Amino acid sequence: MFSISLGDDGAQLRPLEPWQAAELLAHVDRGREFMGRYVAFPNAVHDLESSRSFLRGYAEKAMSDTGRIYGIWADGELVGGVLFRTMDVEHGTAEAGCWLEPSAVGRGLVTRAVRIIIDWAVEERGIHRVEWHVSAANEASIAVARRLGMTRDGVLRESYPHRGRRHDMEVWSVLAPEWRATSRAPAASRR
């Protein structure tokens, strides 16, 4: 299995695969409440079989070229992840997303990891538009979209039912020409 360095702090990005179901479950259990504030992902991983099934679903997406999932490891422990929830290579669109447990917040891990997967999608898979869907209340995730040079396309008012209430969802995106221009800029200007 490959791993990609996320920087000088030793953090790594690696594929998450079904054989890692126990590790994913332990990770979700450590951060379930925090991660579940805005997304339903932790509800899908509640025991070993559901964790395995969740990862099998992404393995099938990878095989059909319709999605991908990667874990973020820091100090040898799974602490978060990034994914393409959807990917339509024929139409050149994908939706990226992320999650992180509380112990890894504030280290820039998600921004660094998403940069890697967007670069791969644009340069290797020919994706033209990468979207980022985020609860309007999730300031940390909105900050990631901004750091990635995304543009806020609009707000889907009360479109996402979660934990007994409806959330406004913001849609952010970056187009391939914008991504290439931003990713070739000096690192200081991308922060």
Side-chain angles (χ1 to χ4, degrees), residues 14-25:
R14 297 185 227 153
L16 258 174
E17 299 176 350
W19 64 270
Q20 295 163 303
E23 189 172 12
L24 177 64
L25 177 60

Side-chain angles (χ1 to χ4, degrees), residues 61-68 70 84 87-94 116-130 176 180:
K61 284 185 176 193
M63 286 180 4
S64 64
D65 209 17
T66 59
R68 300 283 191 286
Y70 304 92
F84 284 115
M87 191 160 68
D88 184 337
V89 176
E90 182 181 347
H91 292 103
T93 61
I116 289 169
I117 68 168
I118 291 176
D119 199 56
W120 171 82
V122 168
E123 299 304 336
E124 300 295 325
R125 301 304 297 128
I127 297 297
H128 177 74
R129 175 186 169 87
V130 177
R180 288 182 182 109

